[in-house]
Amino acid sequence: FREFFPGEIFVDPDLCIFKAFGDRSYTEGAFTKESALWMLQRMYSSKITGRTVPGNFVGGPDIALKFGGCMVVDRSGQILWSHQEGIGSINYEALKDALRRI
């Protein structure tokens, strides 16, 4: 993962981040508008950049198909921005604003 994430990587063996983002699975909402938008965004991004992250669907079915998310956290631990994977498209303007604040 160093090719994509050159900074620190934290291991979460208890899946606390997945639980914080709702402990949702891709199969729960596979046929919703939000899931369709998420999948289109992922496919478009991979096609444009030519980059994919290997191992994204590794593990048993209880782990491999989990929705996670991403967040921007400041040095004090306050969450400045978050996005639940599989729920619509990422609001990049809000993300840029959060990144400017750190």
Side-chain angles (χ1 to χ4, degrees), residues 19-35:
K19 292 172 186 169
F21 277 112
D23 202 22
R24 298 171 306 114
S25 171
Y26 174 74
T27 56
E28 291 173 17
F31 302 105
T32 65
K33 179 181 176 184
E34 290 81 12
S35 287

Side-chain angles (χ1 to χ4, degrees), residues 1 8 11 16-18 22-23 25 35 42-43 65 72 80-81 84 87 89 95 102:
F1 287 102
E8 294 180 84
V11 177
C16 294
I17 296 297
F18 287 108
D23 202 22
S25 171
S35 287
R42 281 186 61 131
M43 290 186 310
L65 297 175
V72 175
L80 302 178
W81 175 88
Q84 288 184 312
I87 298 182
S89 297
L95 172 58
I102 54 173

Side-chain angles (χ1 to χ4, degrees), residues 38 41 70 81 83-84 87-95:
W38 172 80
Q41 184 178 36
C70 50
W81 175 88
H83 174 77
Q84 288 184 312
I87 298 182
S89 297
I90 293 173
N91 181 340
Y92 287 104
E93 291 305 314
L95 172 58

Side-chain angles (χ1 to χ4, degrees), residues 37-90:
L37 290 171
W38 172 80
M39 186 57 77
L40 285 172
Q41 184 178 36
R42 281 186 61 131
M43 290 186 310
Y44 180 74
S45 175
S46 296
K47 184 173 180 74
I48 294 298
T49 64
R51 294 174 20 166
T52 59
V53 178
N56 203 23
F57 291 107
V58 173
D62 58 327
I63 295 174
L65 297 175
K66 287 240 184 251
F67 276 134
C70 50
M71 59 183 115
V72 175
V73 182
D74 69 13
R75 293 186 187 273
S76 72
Q78 180 181 353
I79 298 172
L80 302 178
W81 175 88
S82 68
H83 174 77
Q84 288 184 312
E85 187 177 32
I87 298 182
S89 297
I90 293 173

